[in-house]
Amino acid sequence: MSFSRCALLWARLPAGRQAGHRAAICSALRPHFGPFPGLLGQVSVLATASSSASGGSKIPNTSLFVPLTVKPQGPSADGDVGAELTRPLDKSEWRQGVVCIFSFCVSTARLFHQAFISFRNYIMQSHSLDVDIHIVLNDICFGAAHVDDLFPFFLRHAKQIFPVLDCKDDLRKISDLRIPPNWYPDARAVQRKIIFHSGPTNSGKTYHAIQKYFSAKSGVYCGPLKLLAHEIFEKSNAAGVPCDLVTGEERVTVQPDGKQSSHVSCTVEMCSVTTPYEVAVIDEIQMIRDPARGWAWTRALLGLCAEEVHLCGEPAAIDLVTELMYTTGEEVEVREYKRLTPISVLDHALESLDNLRPGDCIVCFSKNDIYSVSRQIEIRGLESAVIYGSLPPGTKLAQAKKFNDPNDPCKILVATDAIGMGLNLSIRRIIFYSLIKPSINEKGEKELEPITTSQALQIAGRAGRFSSQFKEGEVTTMNHEDLSLLKEILKRPVDPITAAGLHPTAEQIEMFAYHLPDTTLSNLIDIFVDFSQVDGQYFVCNMDDFKFSAELIQHIPLSLRVRYIFCTAPINKKQPFVCSSLLQFARQYSRNEPLTFAWLRRYIKWPLLPPKNIKDLMDLEAVHDVLDLYLWLSYRFMDMFPDGSLIRDLQKELDGIIQAGVHNITKLIKVSETHKLLNLEGFPSVSQSRLSGTLKSQARRTRGTKALGSKATEPPSPNAGELSLASRLVQQGLLTPDMLKQLEKEWMTQQTERSKERTESGTHPKGTRRKKKEPDSD
């Protein structure tokens, strides 16, 4: 009996017998491929539902499993043994038979479909098959075996192309993240005292925790920013308490013999969970909910070996911390603090930059707004300091010092929300230029949303700080339309934090790679996150940045541990030069070629010139980030990045160049204006009412568009669309309402003067209008 004949008989089997065979097949396949829809899956779905009801594991996302290639077998040196024992198989005879036998499964689970296609191609394209499968196929053709007898060989092939099918239970155990406290046995061996210092910004909560840190025999401070770690490092040594500094890019020991001090100030990611301390301080504990960095606060909270652990942060984190500490058997003592100085929300908006006063800080959420506002302030004869996130720490401190100096003519600060942490600023009034801030959702997509209550309180709280010259703070907005929204945001209660972040360790990823040796690191991360099991108090942090770096250097031959370390290096993936530098560093490392000081100087084309425009300034900031990357890697691979001290000196020199550029930022903005944004002579006549109406209706959309960081496009031609040129320029973010009003005043003045001149010379108005159509008339 031919193979295709056998397949036809299968299709004609009574429904009951087919169901029995399919149920048996389904039972065999379900542990590997999961539930199947349709007729085949009727039994499987019920079985899976029963498993889930009894506490079974979640079904994995099979779209993450990338099939491996299994090459068909070529001619065997020993000949075709199967053909010698039976007969040669006529592939053209049973090609259709294979399709018919498996046709009832093809439309089922994705993995099954891919495995079947691969299995069929393997059989069809192999010159000679293994003896066992050859004999089974021959027996099926002669009716001596049933088609079900092929399934063991099919499963064997499926496990070859999908290794995850053979080790799912092991992978689930490795990625079980349900009891994080057990990861830190040293901390569990200590009966810790947990003290939560709760209060708003400028309430003295961190001050009281730091005093305990100073008075302890040994201690560790864990801060969210390098600036804060530097600040505590300096304060501790100034107070006579020897303290070392540890950040991702820097290690400073103060003891003459190079030994470690009893106190250390570090960024939270760098804290040691094996070193015993008397006192530990974890600052900004509410960041335990951060989608990308929350794992570092969870690790510090659960893992620090300290007799006393002092937490500083928002009241919204109290309940979660209490629940987490309940699982470790530790009680939480809460100490509440009130704000030391009053702060009030004004009933009027700023409306115009003409109303600025000394001590004002305008908070923007994009660089475009920073540049625009700085330029307008300079036009008014005022001097401003500028602070935004991508500036080097030294430049931020220099700008803060300039703003705080009562003898400096700079009395205005233009900044992003980077001022929310890490800088001591003497601010009288916070002015929100916009309340719309771009954010990244769980899917990695950009969204434009109003700032949260927590963000608004953090920023607004910078006004009227206790240690500043202003003992009372004020908060308002640039535009009147935003003022009511700001009041509403500030009145809302802060949502309680419900979960803490977790992150797979290098050891866990290595164990995954042991079971899946041919899987890329990026795919390993995806599978790990999908297999991971967490309880309701935790979540797995967003690892998009890690995966971005993994895919960037995937083609470079590196060991898994080295590759993992490169992927954890903090880089700004929006900076092409920084990304290409990570790639170049990894390539040099893979060649076993040390990255020396001389090599890096050539790579960044040192010496660098002072910036002549904004683009030059941004390029210098990117080079500074590249030097940061080198320093970060130099502490992980000292032999391959040997010149850390020389690079640090180079970075300080670059910091000085950037400081000079930021000091003259308004001049850089002027140079960057390569063409006139408005032709004043050809500006169309627009009534004041229409202008004001356009500004009011588009102000928020304009700021929202600019907050995305989108590039300004060339203004459209005068005939495009029905909106006026002024309206289009405002909508595209090339002009702000204040600039437009100023230009309108100047244009009206010039028009009045020209009208007088024409009256005196006797020129007819109509002739003038005809001339204005000529490009060179003015």
Side-chain angles (χ1 to χ4, degrees):
M1 181 172 58
S2 69
F3 195 79
S4 55
R5 174 66 176 167
C6 178
L8 182 61
L9 290 178
W10 164 272
R12 292 179 179 176
L13 280 174
R17 293 181 63 185
Q18 281 192 13
H21 285 302
R22 292 178 180 178
I25 295 170
C26 178
S27 177
L29 295 179
R30 187 175 60 250
H32 305 284
F33 298 102
F36 294 85
L39 180 62
L40 177 66
Q42 290 177 357
V43 178
S44 178
V45 170
L46 293 174
T48 304
S50 174
S51 174
S52 300
S54 61
S57 301
K58 66 177 182 180
I59 300 170
N61 179 7
T62 58
S63 65
L64 301 176
F65 303 158
V66 180
L68 303 179
T69 302
V70 177
K71 295 181 179 180
Q73 293 188 14
S76 174
D78 299 328
D80 193 344
V81 179
E84 293 177 5
L85 295 176
T86 56
R87 64 157 189 157
L89 293 175
D90 184 358
K91 296 183 180 180
S92 62
E93 180 185 48
W94 50 266
R95 178 193 304 270
Q96 187 62 32
V98 176
V99 176
C100 292
I101 289 174
F102 291 95
S103 62
F104 67 89
C105 297
V106 170
S107 61
T108 59
R110 173 184 172 275
L111 286 193
F112 190 97
H113 187 191
Q114 288 183 290
F116 162 67
I117 297 298
S118 177
F119 182 59
R120 183 186 64 183
N121 293 340
Y122 172 78
I123 291 177
M124 299 298 298
Q125 297 171 12
S126 292
H127 289 275
S128 61
L129 296 169
D130 293 336
V131 176
D132 49 2
I133 191 171
H134 186 112
I135 294 175
V136 169
L137 284 172
N138 184 75
D139 288 348
I140 290 174
C141 290
F142 284 96
H146 193 275
V147 290
D148 291 358
D149 296 332
L150 275 179
F151 275 89
F153 304 102
F154 168 70
L155 286 179
R156 182 177 67 186
H157 182 85
K159 291 177 182 179
Q160 285 181 293
I161 66 170
F162 293 114
V164 68
L165 297 176
D166 211 22
C167 55
K168 288 199 298 184
D169 291 339
D170 291 333
L171 297 182
R172 284 197 176 98
K173 290 178 182 178
I174 296 169
S175 58
D176 190 342
L177 309 179
R178 287 178 291 186
I179 314 178
N182 291 353
W183 303 348
Y184 309 102
D186 293 341
R188 300 291 76 79
V190 180
Q191 187 59 39
R192 306 182 305 171
K193 181 179 180 180
I194 312 297
I195 302 170
F196 195 120
H197 300 265
S198 167
T201 304
N202 193 27
S203 60
K205 58 185 183 297
T206 306
Y207 170 81
H208 287 88
I210 293 300
Q211 293 307 306
K212 292 291 295 183
Y213 168 80
F214 288 162
S215 61
K217 295 179 182 177
S218 62
V220 58
Y221 168 82
C222 307
L225 301 172
K226 289 184 284 186
L227 283 173
L228 285 171
H230 270 275
E231 180 183 345
I232 300 303
F233 165 72
E234 293 171 355
K235 284 184 176 180
S236 182
N237 287 293
V241 180
C243 176
D244 294 339
L245 175 69
V246 177
T247 69
E249 300 81 12
E250 190 173 9
R251 308 284 192 279
V252 179
T253 56
V254 297
Q255 298 290 357
D257 55 2
K259 292 184 178 179
Q260 292 184 351
S261 302
S262 57
H263 288 67
V264 60
S265 178
C266 63
T267 46
V268 66
E269 287 88 351
M270 299 303 299
C271 69
S272 169
V273 292
T274 56
T275 305
Y277 301 101
E278 183 179 343
V279 168
V281 177
I282 306 176
D283 207 356
E284 306 294 350
I285 186 63
Q286 72 276 1
M287 291 190 69
I288 200 170
R289 67 181 165 198
D290 187 87
R293 298 179 64 201
W295 63 270
W297 277 264
T298 304
R299 174 177 173 270
L301 176 63
L302 298 177
L304 282 174
C305 303
E307 298 173 19
E308 288 187 12
V309 179
H310 292 258
L311 313 175
C312 307
E314 298 176 1
I318 293 176
D319 290 344
L320 176 63
V321 169
T322 303
E323 292 177 10
L324 297 182
M325 294 300 95
Y326 178 78
T327 63
T328 64
E330 297 163 330
E331 295 184 357
V332 179
E333 176 187 341
V334 179
R335 299 179 184 176
E336 297 182 351
Y337 300 83
K338 302 294 183 182
R339 184 177 169 87
L340 299 176
T341 57
I343 188 171
S344 59
V345 182
L346 301 180
D347 292 326
H348 58 275
L350 186 69
E351 297 288 356
S352 172
L353 295 179
D354 294 329
N355 300 323
L356 287 173
R357 301 179 309 197
D360 280 350
C361 172
I362 303 176
V363 177
C364 309
F365 293 114
S366 78
K367 278 188 181 180
N368 288 345
D369 286 345
I370 290 279
Y371 301 150
S372 173
V373 173
S374 301
R375 181 78 175 92
Q376 293 177 65
I377 291 174
E378 193 263 348
I379 290 174
R380 288 163 171 78
L382 301 175
E383 190 174 342
S384 63
V386 174
I387 296 175
Y388 50 86
S390 59
L391 285 178
T395 304
K396 290 178 184 175
L397 290 172
Q399 290 290 299
K401 183 179 180 181
K402 175 183 176 183
F403 173 70
N404 290 336
D405 187 354
N407 299 320
D408 195 288
C410 174
K411 302 299 180 185
I412 309 296
L413 176 62
V414 185
T416 63
D417 54 343
I419 64 167
M421 294 181 190
L423 293 170
N424 292 318
L425 298 164
S426 185
I427 299 173
R428 179 204 300 270
R429 180 172 59 173
I430 289 286
I431 302 161
F432 286 93
Y433 189 70
S434 168
L435 296 176
I436 305 298
K437 180 181 179 181
S439 60
I440 305 296
N441 62 19
E442 296 177 353
K443 298 179 181 179
E445 301 168 340
K446 273 190 176 181
E447 291 183 342
L448 279 177
E449 296 289 344
I451 58 176
T452 64
T453 301
S454 178
Q455 291 169 337
L457 291 172
Q458 186 79 23
I459 297 169
R462 310 305 290 179
R465 288 183 66 83
F466 181 72
S467 58
S468 71
Q469 58 178 309
F470 304 112
K471 302 307 178 184
E472 183 173 347
E474 298 174 344
V475 184
T476 188
T477 59
M478 182 69 189
N479 298 283
H480 180 73
E481 294 88 346
D482 292 335
L483 190 56
S484 58
L485 178 59
L486 175 63
K487 292 181 178 180
E488 179 186 342
I489 291 174
L490 291 174
K491 286 180 180 178
R492 294 174 191 162
V494 179
D495 294 333
I497 300 172
T498 58
L502 295 174
H503 189 285
T505 64
E507 291 75 19
Q508 289 170 322
I509 298 301
E510 281 182 335
M511 287 190 285
F512 249 59
Y514 172 79
H515 291 285
L516 306 173
D518 298 314
T519 305
T520 66
L521 180 55
S522 177
N523 193 218
L524 280 176
I525 293 297
D526 281 333
I527 297 174
F528 183 96
V529 173
D530 184 64
F531 271 71
S532 63
Q533 302 175 70
V534 296
D535 62 25
Q537 296 173 326
Y538 299 96
F539 67 92
V540 180
C541 285
N542 185 307
M543 301 190 65
D544 287 347
D545 289 347
F546 184 99
K547 287 167 54 183
F548 174 84
S549 298
E551 292 167 359
L552 186 67
I553 64 173
Q554 179 56 43
H555 64 286
I556 298 177
L558 298 169
S559 68
L560 181 67
R561 177 58 70 107
V562 170
R563 189 181 302 278
Y564 181 93
I565 293 175
F566 266 93
C567 292
T568 55
I571 65 169
N572 182 359
K573 61 183 182 182
K574 296 178 182 179
Q575 288 278 10
F577 183 60
V578 180
C579 297
S580 63
S581 298
L582 177 69
L583 184 63
Q584 185 64 32
F585 289 179
R587 186 177 290 117
Q588 289 283 112
Y589 184 99
S590 70
R591 296 170 181 163
N592 201 30
E593 299 175 0
L595 290 89
T596 62
F597 176 67
W599 179 91
L600 192 62
R601 279 174 59 97
R602 292 193 302 271
Y603 178 73
I604 64 174
K605 299 179 181 179
W606 189 268
L608 300 173
L609 299 175
K612 297 179 180 179
N613 51 50
I614 290 297
K615 183 182 181 302
D616 289 348
L617 179 61
M618 295 175 67
D619 290 343
L620 291 178
E621 292 170 7
V623 173
H624 192 280
D625 288 347
V626 169
L627 299 185
D628 259 347
L629 175 62
Y630 182 99
L631 293 171
W632 192 93
L633 291 168
S634 70
Y635 289 105
R636 280 80 181 170
F637 308 110
M638 295 183 182
D639 53 337
M640 298 300 293
F641 297 82
D643 296 331
S645 58
L646 295 174
I647 298 301
R648 185 164 303 284
D649 293 338
L650 194 70
Q651 191 182 48
K652 290 178 181 178
E653 188 175 345
L654 175 59
D655 200 344
I657 298 174
I658 295 176
Q659 287 183 35
V662 174
H663 182 73
N664 299 314
I665 193 167
T666 54
K667 295 180 181 178
L668 302 185
I669 296 171
K670 284 182 184 178
V671 175
S672 299
E673 297 172 347
T674 57
H675 63 278
K676 263 187 151 183
L677 296 181
L678 267 184
N679 183 355
L680 298 181
E681 307 302 335
F683 195 83
S685 178
V686 183
S687 65
Q688 177 66 32
S689 59
R690 182 176 176 184
L691 266 176
S692 61
T694 301
L695 295 178
K696 287 183 179 179
S697 63
Q698 295 183 358
R700 290 186 183 178
R701 279 185 298 174
T702 300
R703 292 193 301 277
T705 303
K706 287 158 57 180
L708 271 176
S710 60
K711 293 183 179 180
T713 57
E714 292 286 341
S717 62
N719 296 326
E722 296 183 359
L723 287 176
S724 67
L725 178 60
S727 303
R728 292 196 299 273
L729 291 173
V730 170
Q731 189 172 7
Q732 294 166 10
L734 296 175
L735 284 179
T736 63
D738 286 326
M739 291 175 66
L740 194 55
K741 289 178 181 178
Q742 182 67 24
L743 289 170
E744 184 194 4
K745 290 178 183 179
E746 296 176 2
W747 180 76
M748 292 295 291
T749 302
Q750 292 178 6
Q751 289 296 99
T752 303
E753 293 175 355
R754 285 197 175 88
S755 179
K756 292 179 180 179
E757 292 175 0
R758 287 195 297 268
T759 302
E760 294 173 359
S761 61
T763 304
H764 197 278
K766 290 185 178 179
T768 303
R769 283 197 293 271
R770 284 196 298 271
K771 284 185 178 181
K772 288 178 72 176
K773 294 182 181 179
E774 301 173 8
D776 300 325
S777 60
D778 294 318

